[in-house]
Every structure is written in structure tokens, then in C-alpha cells.
Amino acid sequence: MNIDIYVFVTLLVLGYVFGRLAEKKHFKSIIEREKKYKDLLTFSERLPPPGMNNTDAELVGGSVVISVDYFKRIVAGLRSIVGGRLTTYESLLERARREAILRMKEAAIDKGAIMVINVKLETSSITKGKGQQIGSVEVYAYGTALSPIAV
Amino acid sequence: MKYENRTIPEGINVSEEHPLKEFFILALGLGAITILVVVMLSLAIGKLVHFIPFSVEQSLASSSFATDIADDVVLSKEQQRIEDYLQQLADELSVAQQLPNDMNIIVHYVDGDTVNAFATLGGNIIIYRGLIELLPHENALAMLLSHEIAHIKQRAPIVSLGRGVAVGLVLASLSGFGDSSVSQQLIGNVGLLTSLTFSRDQEEQADIEALQTLEKYYGHTAGAESLFEALSEGESALNPPKLLSTHPQTEDRLERVGRFNGSTIGAVSYKPLPAFLIKEEAFSR
């Protein structure tokens, strides 16, 4: 019984320290890269804006899988007893969404695109039905990249 | 219409609150609620258990494993003699302790080296040879038996069974709400600590009741301390920390005996153990 407590505390501390470091580092990188790709406009609009007729359209996508750390999982487990915002999971999904859009943008830039329209996000938990496992989440962002027709 | 991507401010989807703060508030809050529920349940069961007739406890005992250990062994003639002697002493002490008429004590002697004795469901008391061998005189043995009889009288075995079942049920359903197995572990440990503290209370009460019984039976309580000295002698491992141990620390128990002995006037004589018990000891060593 006592060994269980030590294992639990060790995992909790490991999860907190590494999870927190990874999250800080990731957010820093996300904010930097969002500034870098600021000029590539992305919209959820289905049709291109007026005046964007002379372009090639191509599907681009970016996906990311992020794992929950032990600490986040415990806090969420405790939170789910009393209810409320699962803040530890909120930041996880925020990271995943923004990272997926960034990867999609990178794919679009590689194709020489100037705009991505009809952007959609898909989220799925990839450890569904395995209650005892640490969960991870996949976010997939995809859209239609518009690039000027090379003449 | 102008098409543009404005920079979205940070902190809309992500809470700025420190995650450790949330963790401690949740863990301490839920821990406190769990302890409160467990304590209240334990208290309620301690009260309600007296409505269970002793005969029901006896029928429960027939299916419990502890008495099986003792009953499966066929005693030799010599061992039967010891068991009869222990039974007779227990019966006399039960009278001195004013055990209710519907309760009766059944002593089981186990020919094992384990330094232990315990009371279990249905008035069954199990005593190991290992412990008897360490006792210097009958007064110490009587202290041991009175202590176990006091447990039967306070219905300690059925109380702890009832608590175990009820507390286990509550914790199981509580941890079922959370989706992690580890919060279950956390909650389980809280439950264990609480239930141990309670049974230590029962131990202290049993010590006091046993000392009163000795006072009535021998006219004094001298010699009772020999039991605790023997027990701590038999304890090979180091003392567990106070919060985690079921029995009170030996020093605490000796101090309690000392308080009782204070009333004893003049020198007292100890009643020796019967010869066949000492002979048995010589054989086995």
C-alpha cells in the first residue's frame, strides 16, 4: 500500500515537471510560429473571397497527437467528481488545435499558397475504451489552399 | 467586406490559474469530504452494530476463515489439555468481566510459533503457542484473555467487519465517479488510515476493560505489564509509526497499566502457569 503511494507521488511529480515544461515550450513555439505565418490568411468560409478567381485549389492538412501527462489526468479525475472546467485538458486541446493549424499552414506554404479557405478541425481521442491508459488526443486541421496559377 | 486574420488574445481557452493550486484545492477538499463520510459511517456502524444479535454473528463466524484455521487441526491430547485450561480460564474471566449471557467465548489453541492472539467473529479467540511461551505467569495470560474477551464484549470483530464493508462500498462508489484508477488509490489510502485509528480506540478500551477484569479476578492488576513486554519482545520488526499501527504503542499501554497498578498496596504474588504449559515450552524450545 505504501509503495503505491510512493509510485503515485513520483509519477505525479514527473508528470507535473515534464508536462509543465513541455507545455511552456510548446506555447512559446506556437506563438512564435503564428507570428511568422501571419501573412497566410486562413478562413472557414467555403468559397474564396471575391477577386480570388485565378487560383489553383488543393487540399492541405496538418495533424498532431498530444498525450495527456499523469498530473493532468489526476487533476481531471478529481475535477470530474465535483464538476467544472477541466482546465488541464483545455490547455492541452488548445495546443493541439493551434499546432494542427500551424502544420496545415506549413503544408500550404510549401505549395506556394497565399490563402487557405474552408478550414475545418477534427478532434478524436485515440485511446477510447481503454479506461486505465493515459489518453492522447489527435487534432486534424484541413482546408483548401489557394495558390496563384503559374503562367 | 475586408478579409483579414486578427491576432486572437491569449488566455481565452486556457485558464491562467496555476494547475498546482487547482490540484491542492481538489485533493484537500475531496480528502476532507471522504474522511468526514468515512468517520460518520464508522460512528453510525459502531452504534448500529449492537442491533445485530450475537447469534447472527456466530452463524457468520462459521463461514469465516479464521476459525477454520483453528478447527481444521486435530489437537493432540496434550494440546487439548492446554486448550481446555485456556477455555476454563476464559470462562472464569468472562464471569469476572460480566459478559452478557447470550455471548460465549470459544478459545482455540494453535500450536504455532507466531507470537499472536486475536478475537474474531462469534466469540472465537485464537491463541498461538508462540505467545503463551513468552508469558511468565498466569496473570499475564489472564490479561491477554481479558483483552480479547473485552473485544468480543464490545463487538469489535463485527464492528470492523461492518465498517470494512460499508466504508469499502462508499469508497468504491465514490471513486467510480472519477475516471482514473489512481484517484481510487488515493481515496483508498485515506480510508485505511481512518479505519486504523478507530480500531486503536477499541484496543485502548479493551486494555482498560481487561485491567478492570484483572482487578476483580485477582484483586490486583500487577503482572499485566508482562503481556506487553512479551509482545514487544515478540515484535521482531521495528515499531511502525503511530498513525499506521493498529495497536497502541507498548509504552502507552505500559503507562496505562502503571496507572492501575498505583492502586495496588503492598507486595503481590503472581499465580504461576500450570506445569503442563511450562513443560510444553521446554519441549518446543
Side-chain angles (χ1 to χ4, degrees):
Chain A
M1 200 57 115
N2 276 329
I3 287 176
D4 283 350
I5 285 187
Y6 293 132
V7 171
F8 171 74
V9 171
T10 310
L11 286 174
L12 199 68
V13 170
L14 281 180
Y16 175 73
V17 170
F18 287 101
R20 186 100 174 132
L21 281 177
E23 188 157 290
K24 276 197 166 162
K25 207 174 133 193
H26 194 196
F27 266 122
K28 206 180 147 201
S29 139
I30 285 173
I31 290 167
E32 250 170 41
R33 277 145 68 221
E34 275 177 352
K35 273 196 191 120
K36 197 171 147 194
Y37 306 137
K38 200 172 174 289
D39 294 335
L40 181 75
L41 298 180
T42 52
F43 303 108
S44 56
E45 192 77 4
R46 197 167 59 86
L47 295 171
M52 286 284 289
N53 299 326
N54 214 13
T55 51
D56 265 346
E58 206 173 345
L59 177 74
V60 285
S63 92
V64 62
V65 178
I66 298 188
S67 168
V68 181
D69 63 54
Y70 200 79
F71 178 79
K72 282 183 188 297
R73 184 165 158 244
I74 294 304
V75 174
L78 291 175
R79 173 58 78 190
S80 65
I81 296 176
V82 291
R85 273 179 81 174
L86 288 174
T87 51
T88 53
Y89 283 178
E90 279 179 350
S91 64
L92 191 83
L93 276 154
E94 169 88 345
R95 274 161 68 193
R97 276 192 304 268
R98 287 166 78 170
E99 179 68 34
I101 290 174
L102 280 170
R103 289 186 184 179
M104 181 197 72
K105 280 189 168 186
E106 278 162 11
I109 287 167
D110 278 352
K111 293 188 194 301
I114 50 167
M115 188 182 281
V116 186
I117 58 163
N118 204 11
V119 173
K120 286 171 181 159
L121 291 167
E122 301 281 347
T123 309
S124 58
S125 157
I126 64 168
T127 38
K128 223 165 229 164
K130 290 176 180 168
Q132 300 304 311
Q133 281 191 1
I134 295 237
S136 33
V137 67
E138 191 215 12
V139 174
Y140 180 55
Y142 60 100
T144 308
L146 301 179
S147 31
I149 297 171
V151 184
Chain B
M1 189 165 30
K2 196 183 171 209
Y3 281 73
E4 59 177 332
N5 280 169
R6 288 195 191 143
T7 313
I8 301 159
E10 296 290 326
I12 292 176
N13 296 322
V14 178
S15 161
E16 291 297 317
E17 196 182 68
H18 201 280
L20 275 184
K21 189 183 157 198
E22 188 184 3
F23 172 70
F24 282 116
I25 288 174
L26 284 172
L28 294 178
L30 287 170
I33 290 171
T34 310
I35 289 175
L36 197 74
V37 168
V38 166
V39 165
M40 277 177 8
L41 252 180
S42 300
L43 286 175
I45 282 163
K47 295 254 179 281
L48 289 174
V49 111
H50 297 283
F51 292 106
I52 301 175
F54 194 70
S55 55
V56 173
E57 194 181 322
Q58 277 169 324
S59 66
L60 270 174
S62 59
S63 59
S64 99
F65 80 104
T67 46
D68 284 357
I69 302 171
D71 281 340
D72 281 353
V73 188
V74 179
L75 299 178
S76 72
K77 210 178 148 198
E78 193 67 18
Q79 289 165 343
Q80 189 60 51
R81 200 173 158 198
I82 295 170
E83 193 173 278
D84 290 345
Y85 159 72
L86 292 171
Q87 181 68 54
Q88 202 199 331
L89 184 60
D91 288 343
E92 285 166 19
L93 289 167
S94 310
V95 175
Q97 200 173 104
Q98 291 168 321
L99 195 72
N101 280 334
D102 62 330
M103 295 189 187
N104 57 321
I105 303 293
I106 306 153
V107 182
H108 303 267
Y109 172 71
V110 182
D111 190 13
D113 292 328
T114 320
V115 181
N116 198 11
F118 57 93
T120 178
L121 292 174
N124 290 291
I125 293 175
I126 289 140
I127 297 186
Y128 283 82
R129 192 196 66 225
L131 180 53
I132 297 179
E133 278 175 359
L134 291 174
L135 301 175
H137 40 64
E138 198 198 77
N139 299 56
L141 181 60
M143 177 66 192
L144 172 67
L145 281 169
S146 314
H147 176 93
E148 303 306 340
I149 295 167
H151 276 323
I152 307 281
K153 195 179 167 188
Q154 66 188 192
R155 310 289 301 268
I158 189 104
V159 168
S160 73
L161 178 75
R163 277 177 188 162
V165 171
V167 169
L169 250 163
V170 167
L171 293 182
S173 51
L174 184 65
S175 50
F177 286 119
D179 63 0
S180 79
S181 63
V182 193
S183 64
Q184 280 175 27
Q185 274 180 25
L186 197 71
I187 290 166
N189 283 324
V190 172
L192 177 78
L193 283 180
T194 325
S195 64
L196 280 181
T197 319
F198 271 102
S199 53
R200 202 173 59 187
D201 257 14
Q202 292 171 331
E203 295 294 340
E204 287 175 2
Q205 274 172 26
D207 274 357
I208 292 167
E209 176 111 44
L211 285 166
Q212 286 163 349
T213 310
L214 284 199
E215 180 91 55
K216 207 171 281 178
Y217 188 67
Y218 292 110
H220 63 81
T221 58
E225 71 280 359
S226 307
L227 170 65
F228 303 129
E229 280 158 12
L231 279 172
S232 64
E233 194 185 322
E235 233 172 58
S236 49
L238 53 146
N239 277 355
K242 198 169 181 187
L243 191 62
L244 284 172
S245 91
T246 336
H247 281 68
Q249 300 287 82
T250 310
E251 302 91 72
D252 296 353
R253 305 180 91 177
L254 283 174
E255 194 203 307
R256 198 169 302 123
V257 175
R259 258 183 275 139
F260 264 84
N261 283 353
S263 61
T264 316
I265 305 153
V268 289
S269 57
Y270 301 130
K271 196 173 170 192
L273 286 167
F276 54 84
L277 260 180
I278 301 163
K279 212 171 103 200
E280 171 81 5
E281 181 186 351
F283 265 132
S284 56
R285 270 197 182 160

Short mmCIF file of all heavy atoms in Angstrom, two decimals, chain B residues 241-281:
data_model
loop_
_atom_site.label_atom_id
_atom_site.label_comp_id
_atom_site.label_asym_id
_atom_site.label_seq_id
_atom_site.Cartn_x
_atom_site.Cartn_y
_atom_site.Cartn_z
N PRO B 241 5.17 3.46 12.65
CA PRO B 241 4.78 4.79 13.14
C PRO B 241 3.38 4.77 13.72
O PRO B 241 2.54 3.97 13.31
CB PRO B 241 4.84 5.66 11.88
CG PRO B 241 4.92 4.73 10.73
CD PRO B 241 5.52 3.47 11.24
N LYS B 242 3.13 5.66 14.67
CA LYS B 242 1.93 5.57 15.49
C LYS B 242 0.64 5.61 14.68
O LYS B 242 -0.28 4.86 14.92
CB LYS B 242 1.93 6.71 16.51
CG LYS B 242 0.96 6.43 17.65
CD LYS B 242 1.14 7.40 18.77
CE LYS B 242 0.17 7.05 19.90
NZ LYS B 242 0.16 8.01 20.95
N LEU B 243 0.60 6.50 13.69
CA LEU B 243 -0.64 6.67 12.94
C LEU B 243 -0.99 5.40 12.17
O LEU B 243 -2.16 5.10 11.96
CB LEU B 243 -0.48 7.85 11.97
CG LEU B 243 -1.76 8.32 11.30
CD1 LEU B 243 -2.74 8.82 12.33
CD2 LEU B 243 -1.46 9.40 10.29
N LEU B 244 0.04 4.64 11.76
CA LEU B 244 -0.21 3.49 10.90
C LEU B 244 -0.42 2.20 11.67
O LEU B 244 -0.75 1.19 11.09
CB LEU B 244 0.95 3.32 9.92
CG LEU B 244 0.95 4.32 8.76
CD1 LEU B 244 2.22 4.21 7.96
CD2 LEU B 244 -0.26 4.11 7.87
N SER B 245 -0.20 2.20 12.98
CA SER B 245 -0.29 0.92 13.67
C SER B 245 -1.66 0.77 14.32
O SER B 245 -2.27 1.73 14.79
CB SER B 245 0.81 0.80 14.72
OG SER B 245 0.36 1.27 15.94
N THR B 246 -2.14 -0.49 14.35
CA THR B 246 -3.48 -0.75 14.90
C THR B 246 -3.45 -0.70 16.41
O THR B 246 -4.35 -0.16 17.04
CB THR B 246 -3.95 -2.16 14.51
OG1 THR B 246 -3.27 -2.55 13.35
CG2 THR B 246 -5.43 -2.18 14.32
N HIS B 247 -2.43 -1.31 17.00
CA HIS B 247 -2.36 -1.37 18.45
C HIS B 247 -1.64 -0.15 18.99
O HIS B 247 -0.74 0.37 18.36
CB HIS B 247 -1.62 -2.65 18.88
CG HIS B 247 -2.50 -3.86 18.81
ND1 HIS B 247 -2.94 -4.36 17.61
CD2 HIS B 247 -3.01 -4.65 19.76
CE1 HIS B 247 -3.69 -5.43 17.85
NE2 HIS B 247 -3.76 -5.63 19.14
N PRO B 248 -2.04 0.28 20.19
CA PRO B 248 -1.33 1.41 20.79
C PRO B 248 0.14 1.02 21.03
O PRO B 248 0.46 -0.15 21.14
CB PRO B 248 -2.05 1.60 22.13
CG PRO B 248 -3.32 0.83 22.03
CD PRO B 248 -3.09 -0.26 21.06
N GLN B 249 1.00 2.02 21.08
CA GLN B 249 2.41 1.77 21.33
C GLN B 249 2.57 1.12 22.70
O GLN B 249 1.83 1.42 23.64
CB GLN B 249 3.20 3.08 21.30
CG GLN B 249 3.12 3.81 20.01
CD GLN B 249 3.94 3.15 18.90
OE1 GLN B 249 3.48 2.21 18.27
NE2 GLN B 249 5.13 3.63 18.67
N THR B 250 3.58 0.22 22.78
CA THR B 250 3.80 -0.50 24.03
C THR B 250 3.97 0.45 25.22
O THR B 250 3.43 0.19 26.30
CB THR B 250 5.05 -1.40 23.90
OG1 THR B 250 4.92 -2.15 22.71
CG2 THR B 250 5.17 -2.33 25.08
N GLU B 251 4.70 1.56 25.00
CA GLU B 251 4.95 2.49 26.11
C GLU B 251 3.63 3.05 26.65
O GLU B 251 3.43 3.16 27.85
CB GLU B 251 5.85 3.67 25.66
CG GLU B 251 7.19 3.25 25.10
CD GLU B 251 7.15 3.06 23.59
OE1 GLU B 251 7.05 4.07 22.89
OE2 GLU B 251 7.19 1.91 23.14
N ASP B 252 2.72 3.40 25.71
CA ASP B 252 1.43 3.93 26.12
C ASP B 252 0.67 2.91 26.96
O ASP B 252 0.05 3.25 27.98
CB ASP B 252 0.57 4.29 24.90
CG ASP B 252 1.20 5.40 24.07
OD1 ASP B 252 2.21 5.96 24.54
OD2 ASP B 252 0.69 5.68 22.98
N ARG B 253 0.74 1.66 26.52
CA ARG B 253 -0.02 0.61 27.21
C ARG B 253 0.58 0.35 28.60
O ARG B 253 -0.13 0.18 29.58
CB ARG B 253 -0.01 -0.68 26.39
CG ARG B 253 -0.52 -0.46 24.98
CD ARG B 253 -0.49 -1.72 24.19
NE ARG B 253 -1.74 -2.46 24.30
CZ ARG B 253 -1.97 -3.58 23.64
NH1 ARG B 253 -1.05 -4.11 22.85
NH2 ARG B 253 -3.12 -4.20 23.77
N LEU B 254 1.92 0.34 28.67
CA LEU B 254 2.59 0.11 29.96
C LEU B 254 2.23 1.23 30.93
O LEU B 254 2.02 0.99 32.13
CB LEU B 254 4.10 0.03 29.77
CG LEU B 254 4.60 -1.30 29.19
CD1 LEU B 254 6.10 -1.23 28.90
CD2 LEU B 254 4.29 -2.46 30.12
N GLU B 255 2.16 2.45 30.38
CA GLU B 255 1.84 3.59 31.23
C GLU B 255 0.44 3.43 31.83
O GLU B 255 0.20 3.70 33.01
CB GLU B 255 1.90 4.87 30.39
CG GLU B 255 1.92 6.14 31.22
CD GLU B 255 1.42 7.32 30.41
OE1 GLU B 255 1.95 7.54 29.32
OE2 GLU B 255 0.49 7.99 30.88
N ARG B 256 -0.50 2.94 31.00
CA ARG B 256 -1.87 2.74 31.46
C ARG B 256 -1.90 1.69 32.59
O ARG B 256 -2.57 1.86 33.59
CB ARG B 256 -2.74 2.29 30.29
CG ARG B 256 -4.20 2.46 30.56
CD ARG B 256 -5.01 2.26 29.29
NE ARG B 256 -4.63 3.16 28.23
CZ ARG B 256 -4.24 2.78 27.03
NH1 ARG B 256 -4.17 1.50 26.74
NH2 ARG B 256 -3.90 3.65 26.12
N VAL B 257 -1.12 0.60 32.40
CA VAL B 257 -1.05 -0.43 33.43
C VAL B 257 -0.48 0.17 34.71
O VAL B 257 -0.98 -0.07 35.81
CB VAL B 257 -0.16 -1.61 32.96
CG1 VAL B 257 0.02 -2.62 34.08
CG2 VAL B 257 -0.78 -2.29 31.75
N GLY B 258 0.54 1.02 34.53
CA GLY B 258 1.18 1.66 35.68
C GLY B 258 0.18 2.46 36.50
O GLY B 258 0.18 2.43 37.72
N ARG B 259 -0.72 3.15 35.81
CA ARG B 259 -1.73 3.95 36.49
C ARG B 259 -2.65 3.05 37.35
O ARG B 259 -3.02 3.40 38.45
CB ARG B 259 -2.57 4.73 35.48
CG ARG B 259 -2.16 6.19 35.38
CD ARG B 259 -3.06 6.95 34.43
NE ARG B 259 -2.61 6.80 33.05
CZ ARG B 259 -3.43 6.62 32.01
NH1 ARG B 259 -4.74 6.53 32.22
NH2 ARG B 259 -2.95 6.54 30.80
N PHE B 260 -2.99 1.87 36.79
CA PHE B 260 -3.83 0.95 37.53
C PHE B 260 -3.08 0.35 38.72
O PHE B 260 -3.61 0.22 39.80
CB PHE B 260 -4.32 -0.18 36.62
CG PHE B 260 -5.68 0.06 36.06
CD1 PHE B 260 -5.84 0.84 34.93
CD2 PHE B 260 -6.81 -0.45 36.67
CE1 PHE B 260 -7.10 1.09 34.41
CE2 PHE B 260 -8.08 -0.21 36.17
CZ PHE B 260 -8.22 0.56 35.03
N ASN B 261 -1.81 -0.01 38.45
CA ASN B 261 -1.02 -0.65 39.50
C ASN B 261 -0.82 0.26 40.70
O ASN B 261 -0.59 -0.21 41.80
CB ASN B 261 0.35 -1.08 38.96
CG ASN B 261 0.23 -2.33 38.12
OD1 ASN B 261 -0.84 -2.93 38.05
ND2 ASN B 261 1.31 -2.70 37.47
N GLY B 262 -0.93 1.54 40.45
CA GLY B 262 -0.73 2.50 41.54
C GLY B 262 -1.65 2.22 42.72
O GLY B 262 -1.31 2.48 43.86
N SER B 263 -2.83 1.62 42.42
CA SER B 263 -3.80 1.36 43.49
C SER B 263 -3.43 0.11 44.29
O SER B 263 -4.00 -0.15 45.34
CB SER B 263 -5.20 1.21 42.90
OG SER B 263 -5.20 0.12 42.00
N THR B 264 -2.50 -0.69 43.76
CA THR B 264 -2.13 -1.92 44.45
C THR B 264 -1.29 -1.60 45.68
O THR B 264 -0.30 -0.88 45.59
CB THR B 264 -1.31 -2.83 43.52
OG1 THR B 264 -1.95 -2.84 42.26
CG2 THR B 264 -1.19 -4.21 44.07
N ILE B 265 -1.71 -2.15 46.82
CA ILE B 265 -0.97 -1.86 48.05
C ILE B 265 -0.16 -3.09 48.45
O ILE B 265 -0.69 -4.22 48.45
CB ILE B 265 -1.94 -1.46 49.19
CG1 ILE B 265 -2.81 -0.28 48.72
CG2 ILE B 265 -1.17 -1.10 50.46
CD1 ILE B 265 -4.15 -0.21 49.40
N GLY B 266 1.09 -2.89 48.75
CA GLY B 266 1.95 -3.97 49.24
C GLY B 266 2.40 -4.91 48.14
O GLY B 266 2.09 -4.71 46.97
N ALA B 267 3.15 -5.93 48.54
CA ALA B 267 3.68 -6.87 47.57
C ALA B 267 2.57 -7.81 47.12
O ALA B 267 1.65 -8.11 47.86
CB ALA B 267 4.81 -7.67 48.21
N VAL B 268 2.65 -8.24 45.86
CA VAL B 268 1.66 -9.18 45.34
C VAL B 268 2.37 -10.42 44.83
O VAL B 268 3.55 -10.37 44.50
CB VAL B 268 0.84 -8.55 44.19
CG1 VAL B 268 -0.09 -7.49 44.72
CG2 VAL B 268 1.75 -8.00 43.11
N SER B 269 1.64 -11.52 44.80
CA SER B 269 2.25 -12.74 44.27
C SER B 269 1.57 -13.09 42.96
O SER B 269 0.37 -12.92 42.81
CB SER B 269 2.07 -13.89 45.27
OG SER B 269 0.71 -14.05 45.54
N TYR B 270 2.39 -13.54 41.99
CA TYR B 270 1.84 -13.95 40.71
C TYR B 270 1.45 -15.40 40.77
O TYR B 270 2.13 -16.22 41.38
CB TYR B 270 2.88 -13.74 39.60
CG TYR B 270 3.32 -12.31 39.48
CD1 TYR B 270 4.68 -12.00 39.44
CD2 TYR B 270 2.40 -11.28 39.41
CE1 TYR B 270 5.11 -10.70 39.31
CE2 TYR B 270 2.81 -9.97 39.30
CZ TYR B 270 4.16 -9.68 39.25
OH TYR B 270 4.57 -8.40 39.14
N LYS B 271 0.36 -15.73 40.09
CA LYS B 271 -0.05 -17.12 40.01
C LYS B 271 0.73 -17.76 38.87
O LYS B 271 0.72 -17.26 37.74
CB LYS B 271 -1.56 -17.18 39.73
CG LYS B 271 -2.15 -18.54 40.00
CD LYS B 271 -3.66 -18.50 39.88
CE LYS B 271 -4.19 -19.94 39.91
NZ LYS B 271 -5.60 -20.01 39.53
N PRO B 272 1.47 -18.86 39.15
CA PRO B 272 2.26 -19.46 38.07
C PRO B 272 1.35 -20.13 37.04
O PRO B 272 0.22 -20.49 37.33
CB PRO B 272 3.13 -20.47 38.80
CG PRO B 272 2.36 -20.81 40.03
CD PRO B 272 1.60 -19.59 40.42
N LEU B 273 1.91 -20.34 35.86
CA LEU B 273 1.19 -21.09 34.84
C LEU B 273 1.20 -22.56 35.22
O LEU B 273 2.12 -23.01 35.91
CB LEU B 273 1.88 -20.91 33.48
CG LEU B 273 1.67 -19.55 32.82
CD1 LEU B 273 2.64 -19.38 31.67
CD2 LEU B 273 0.24 -19.38 32.35
N PRO B 274 0.19 -23.33 34.81
CA PRO B 274 0.19 -24.76 35.16
C PRO B 274 1.41 -25.47 34.56
O PRO B 274 1.96 -25.04 33.55
CB PRO B 274 -1.11 -25.29 34.56
CG PRO B 274 -1.58 -24.24 33.62
CD PRO B 274 -1.01 -22.95 34.06
N ALA B 275 1.78 -26.55 35.23
CA ALA B 275 3.02 -27.26 34.88
C ALA B 275 3.05 -27.72 33.44
O ALA B 275 4.08 -27.61 32.76
CB ALA B 275 3.19 -28.46 35.82
N PHE B 276 1.91 -28.19 32.92
CA PHE B 276 1.95 -28.74 31.54
C PHE B 276 2.23 -27.67 30.50
O PHE B 276 2.72 -27.95 29.42
CB PHE B 276 0.66 -29.51 31.22
CG PHE B 276 -0.61 -28.73 31.44
CD1 PHE B 276 -1.09 -27.88 30.45
CD2 PHE B 276 -1.33 -28.86 32.61
CE1 PHE B 276 -2.25 -27.17 30.64
CE2 PHE B 276 -2.50 -28.15 32.80
CZ PHE B 276 -2.97 -27.30 31.83
N LEU B 277 1.92 -26.41 30.82
CA LEU B 277 2.23 -25.33 29.88
C LEU B 277 3.73 -25.07 29.85
O LEU B 277 4.31 -24.82 28.81
CB LEU B 277 1.49 -24.06 30.28
CG LEU B 277 0.21 -23.76 29.52
CD1 LEU B 277 -0.42 -22.48 30.03
CD2 LEU B 277 0.46 -23.68 28.03
N ILE B 278 4.32 -25.13 31.01
CA ILE B 278 5.77 -24.89 31.10
C ILE B 278 6.52 -26.06 30.49
O ILE B 278 7.52 -25.88 29.80
CB ILE B 278 6.18 -24.66 32.58
CG1 ILE B 278 5.42 -23.46 33.13
CG2 ILE B 278 7.67 -24.42 32.69
CD1 ILE B 278 5.40 -23.36 34.64
N LYS B 279 5.97 -27.26 30.69
CA LYS B 279 6.60 -28.46 30.13
C LYS B 279 6.60 -28.36 28.59
O LYS B 279 7.60 -28.61 27.94
CB LYS B 279 5.84 -29.71 30.59
CG LYS B 279 6.70 -30.94 30.76
CD LYS B 279 5.92 -32.05 31.42
CE LYS B 279 5.51 -33.09 30.39
NZ LYS B 279 4.39 -33.92 30.82
N GLU B 280 5.47 -27.99 28.08
CA GLU B 280 5.32 -27.81 26.62
C GLU B 280 6.39 -26.86 26.10
O GLU B 280 7.01 -27.07 25.07
CB GLU B 280 3.92 -27.26 26.34
CG GLU B 280 3.67 -26.82 24.91
CD GLU B 280 3.35 -27.99 23.99
OE1 GLU B 280 3.22 -29.13 24.47
OE2 GLU B 280 3.22 -27.75 22.79
N GLU B 281 6.59 -25.80 26.88
CA GLU B 281 7.57 -24.78 26.49
C GLU B 281 8.97 -25.41 26.41
O GLU B 281 9.71 -25.18 25.47
CB GLU B 281 7.52 -23.66 27.53
CG GLU B 281 8.45 -22.52 27.26
CD GLU B 281 8.45 -21.53 28.41
OE1 GLU B 281 7.60 -21.67 29.32
OE2 GLU B 281 9.29 -20.64 28.39
#
